[in-house]
Amino acid sequence: MKTSSLDRLRNGLVLLLVLTGLWQVLYWCVGDVALRSPLETFGYTAYLLGSARFWPNLVETAQAFGLALVISVVMGLAIGFTLGLSRIANAVFEPVLVSSYAIPKITLYPILLLMFGLGMSAKVAFGVIHGVIPIALFTTDAVRHIRPVFLKTGRTMGLSPLEMAWRILLPAAMPEIFAGLRVGFSLTLIGTLLGEMFASQRGIGYLLMNAIGLHNVDLIMSLTFMLTLFAGAASVILLAINRRMQQRT
Amino acid sequence: MKPAAIWRTAFLGALVALLEVLCLTGRIDKLTMQPPHQIIIDLLRMLSAGTLNLAILKTLANSFLAFGLAMVTGTAAALVLHRLRAVRDALDPLFATYYAIPVFAFYPLLIILFGLGDTPEIFIGFMLAVVAVIVSVLSGIDRIPRVLLKTARVHQLSTWETARRVTLPCIAPYILTGAKLALAYALIGVIGAEFIMSSSGMGYEISFAYMNFDNATMYPLILLIVLASVGINMVLGRWERLLMVRRGLA
């Protein structure tokens, strides 16, 4: 299936229009108790962006998410390279990774909280356990499909494991690894937010949980809207980069 | 048993043993975690006493309901979408970014819409699961060999008969791939929703036990969820591999 980028842009715009339309219709059906119209939500979002109490929370979430993402990527790549290069390690550990992918990680939250205590580190840890597994799995698969001659060349030249990863594995398997990073990016974001919803006094997730408690529909709507917009936009951008990479190879 | 499986079992066993030692020697204190053997004893006692059976049953029933709805709707939607090229193209960006969207952020809205109860939880599970089914089934339909569809046409099968005799058997492995993902997502959705806000179910019981430092209830429940999700996933995975091997796809 080949679609040009122009087609894709048009499809995206149509989809956005349809979704906004559905939102408006739903608002007409349900009314003010539970929903706000798109226009009101945009208005409140603008107000929120202008208010002083919003920004410290955003910074807090951004820090937690950034840290979690860095740790997920480094750990995921390390695990992926190890499992991808060693057949035995792969046979032993890959099923463990696949199974742990299926566990509802939200249930592990109490354990993490008891281990790390309330605050930043628990949030980061929660983001990491969500993000690291897909990155590791995608990387393992990507490394396993690298042409053997590249690896042999590296070994002949006596590269150290670190050089091997940096100069051969990463460039050779980049498009596939990047697909994993894209999935890892969104899961880390979800994990961090969930972490904030349960045990935090700051951050977007905390604001959302607080808004649920206070039945502040305006706040719930605009936070949901912003999160969806951010996650969707990031995903679309990463997907476009990934497509370009795949075309080049 | 293959050597890899033996190593894997040994590794997991060593991990549990390490936890046991750390707990017994007091490096991990009692308030943080109980030794693994205690968790298993607590789990057995909990199950035989039956105090939480209602909560367990409710969570499992809701997850399976969400899963079933997602399977039926997802497969039907994929079969229809495959016919409607334009709609499929328009929905493509949504499918590609769907799992980047934090669906749990919509949970408060669902609570307000449906009220606090089973419906929003099932709905979240369904929302998470359905797209995985649609995407897998669509990719399965794309891979049906042309010749089979032509044969169906030569035999003048009706649309319904083609679907039942050719399409569905042909895409069975892909439906199973979708089912594996969907079941995991349904469990994640339902339990997550119970965790965030609800008045019953396993997720609720875990967070309730957590707030009361009731480790004797919390850890067995967590273990049960982990065992259930891993077990179901392994069974479906094995079945999927069996079908793939029979088709010569793996």
Side-chain angles (χ1 to χ4, degrees):
Chain A
M1 192 173 66
K2 269 242 180 290
T3 33
S4 73
S5 51
L6 203 67
D7 280 344
R8 223 174 275 129
L9 194 68
R10 200 200 54 210
N11 283 337
L13 284 178
V14 169
L15 188 68
L16 276 184
L17 277 178
V18 170
L19 287 179
T20 317
L22 281 178
W23 179 2
Q24 181 68 51
V25 170
L26 195 67
Y27 170 71
W28 280 328
C29 295
V30 177
D32 254 349
V33 197
L35 280 178
R36 292 290 178 269
S37 72
L39 219 58
E40 284 171 307
T41 307
F42 299 152
Y44 194 81
T45 308
Y47 158 75
L48 202 61
L49 289 175
S51 71
R53 73 191 171 110
F54 175 71
W55 288 101
N57 287 304
L58 185 67
V59 170
E60 173 86 9
T61 302
Q63 277 172 349
F65 172 59
L67 199 57
L69 190 63
V70 171
I71 297 176
S72 297
V73 169
V74 172
M75 274 176 63
L77 288 182
I79 297 174
F81 287 154
T82 317
L83 295 195
L85 288 179
S86 154
R87 190 180 285 271
I88 306 165
N90 186 35
V92 174
F93 292 112
E94 204 194 9
V96 180
L97 275 185
V98 173
S99 296
S100 51
Y101 196 37
I103 297 173
K105 280 164 230 38
I106 206 162
T107 53
L108 304 180
Y109 193 71
I111 303 183
L112 283 182
L113 213 56
L114 289 170
M115 276 166 69
F116 290 97
L118 219 74
M120 191 70 155
S121 44
K123 280 192 256 184
V124 173
F126 208 56
V128 170
I129 59 167
H130 277 83
V132 72
I133 301 173
I135 298 181
L137 284 176
F138 272 83
T139 310
T140 306
D141 206 49
V143 170
R144 229 175 339 164
H145 288 103
I146 290 177
R147 281 172 53 194
V149 65
F150 292 158
L151 302 179
K152 271 188 204 154
T153 314
R155 245 172 267 141
T156 316
M157 299 200 174
L159 295 186
S160 70
L162 214 62
E163 278 181 315
M164 188 85 161
W166 182 247
R167 300 209 174 257
I168 294 184
L169 302 183
L170 211 53
M174 201 54 207
E176 290 80 23
I177 292 177
F178 198 83
L181 294 184
R182 188 169 68 84
V183 177
F185 179 93
S186 38
L187 283 179
T188 309
L189 178 64
I190 293 174
T192 314
L193 284 172
L194 282 176
E196 284 186 338
M197 285 176 85
F198 294 117
S200 182
Q201 298 302 316
R202 279 190 298 271
I204 304 289
Y206 165 73
L207 278 186
L208 190 61
M209 203 61 184
N210 210 20
I212 301 173
L214 296 173
H215 193 77
N216 185 345
V217 183
D218 283 313
L219 192 55
I220 298 177
M221 286 298 290
S222 50
L223 284 175
T224 310
F225 169 67
M226 276 191 278
L227 285 176
T228 310
L229 200 67
F230 172 72
S235 180
V236 166
I237 293 169
L238 292 176
L239 196 66
I241 298 176
N242 204 358
R243 281 216 179 92
R244 186 162 297 173
M245 277 180 182
Q246 268 156 354
Q247 273 164 9
R248 211 184 294 160
T249 45
Chain B
M1 214 150 79
K2 285 182 206 142
I6 296 172
W7 278 110
R8 182 159 57 243
T9 320
F11 168 75
L12 292 175
L15 219 59
V16 175
L18 180 70
L19 263 181
E20 182 83 47
V21 169
L22 283 179
C23 287
L24 286 180
T25 53
R27 293 298 294 271
I28 301 177
D29 70 277
K30 266 215 166 91
L31 272 180
T32 307
M33 191 177 177
Q34 287 177 307
H37 79 268
Q38 189 64 41
I39 298 179
I40 295 172
I41 294 174
D42 285 338
L43 176 61
L44 293 176
R45 202 175 45 213
M46 198 180 76
L47 287 178
S48 61
T51 40
L52 290 176
N53 282 4
L54 219 61
I56 296 170
L57 213 64
K58 182 212 154 205
T59 300
L60 290 182
N62 281 352
S63 307
F64 278 111
L65 197 58
F67 164 73
L69 280 174
M71 283 310 290
V72 174
T73 329
T75 311
L79 288 170
V80 172
L81 275 183
H82 188 71
R83 292 292 181 84
L84 306 171
R85 186 83 235 177
V87 181
R88 186 182 170 179
D89 281 346
L91 283 178
D92 217 34
L94 180 68
F95 292 156
T97 56
Y98 188 79
Y99 284 104
I101 298 165
V103 175
F104 283 113
F106 291 98
Y107 187 55
L109 294 178
L110 294 174
I111 293 183
I112 302 171
L113 281 176
F114 297 116
L116 192 63
D118 290 351
T119 324
E121 293 162 23
I122 298 171
F123 200 86
I124 282 272
F126 168 79
M127 268 169 72
L128 271 171
V130 72
V131 170
V133 180
I134 295 179
V135 171
S136 330
V137 174
L138 270 179
S139 85
I141 302 177
D142 285 337
R143 288 186 174 79
I144 296 175
R146 283 272 172 77
V147 61
L148 293 180
L149 294 177
K150 269 187 197 155
T151 315
R153 231 173 296 140
V154 170
H155 285 281
Q156 296 188 321
L157 296 186
S158 64
T159 316
W160 169 240
E161 284 244 303
T162 314
R164 203 170 64 86
R165 292 188 183 271
V166 180
T167 317
L168 283 179
C170 219
I171 58 175
Y174 296 92
I175 295 184
L176 218 52
T177 311
K180 207 172 66 172
L181 287 171
L183 198 58
Y185 279 125
L187 271 173
I188 291 173
V190 169
I191 293 174
E194 285 174 352
F195 237 89
I196 297 175
M197 197 170 275
S198 73
S199 49
S200 57
M202 284 165 102
Y204 168 77
E205 296 293 347
I206 291 178
S207 68
F208 188 77
Y210 167 69
M211 293 192 195
N212 290 304
F213 291 104
D214 183 6
N215 280 358
T217 311
M218 187 180 86
Y219 278 104
L221 274 176
I222 294 177
L223 181 68
L224 189 66
I225 290 178
V226 169
L227 286 180
S229 52
V230 169
I232 295 171
N233 192 56
M234 272 167 64
V235 170
L236 284 178
R238 198 150 292 177
W239 189 12
E240 178 194 7
R241 201 157 340 126
L242 207 72
L243 277 183
M244 288 284 198
V245 167
R246 211 180 288 163
R247 297 278 159 84
L249 290 170

